[in-house]
Amino acid sequence: MSALSIVGAVDGNVADAGKAIALALGIGLGSLGAGVGIGNIFGSMIQAVARQPELRGELQGIQWPGFALTEAVVFYGLIGGLLAYVLI
């Protein structure tokens, strides 16, 4: 059996596999980035409160919107990856 006939036999499945790998990489990297961002936000919060405890309330007001926006990156990656998987 020649290599050309093998490639021709699995041509559609290879494209689907490539799309699935791209989807998984997109979601995985989006989750990784969000995890790093959230760790950075909370680590900075701990350092800031340790240095100036009297600013804790003001810093928490900044912390939670940053956390929510960073977490939204995961959902943007998920939706973008799913749209790319379905539309391409």
Side-chain angles (χ1 to χ4, degrees):
M1 187 180 285
S2 71
L4 182 61
S5 64
I6 293 173
V7 171
V10 295
D11 191 31
N13 293 335
V14 170
D16 288 341
K19 290 191 321 184
I21 291 170
L23 172 65
L25 281 174
I27 294 171
L29 291 175
S31 300
L32 177 70
V36 168
I38 290 170
N40 191 12
I41 289 171
F42 283 99
S44 297
M45 176 67 177
I46 291 169
Q47 288 179 1
V49 170
R51 290 181 183 180
Q52 292 185 334
E54 66 273 5
L55 292 178
R56 182 176 185 181
E58 186 176 333
L59 291 172
Q60 279 185 339
I62 299 168
Q63 171 192 353
W64 292 113
F67 169 75
L69 291 172
T70 305
E71 190 65 32
V73 171
V74 176
F75 297 113
Y76 291 143
L78 175 66
I79 297 301
L82 287 174
L83 284 175
Y85 182 77
V86 172
L87 296 178
I88 294 178

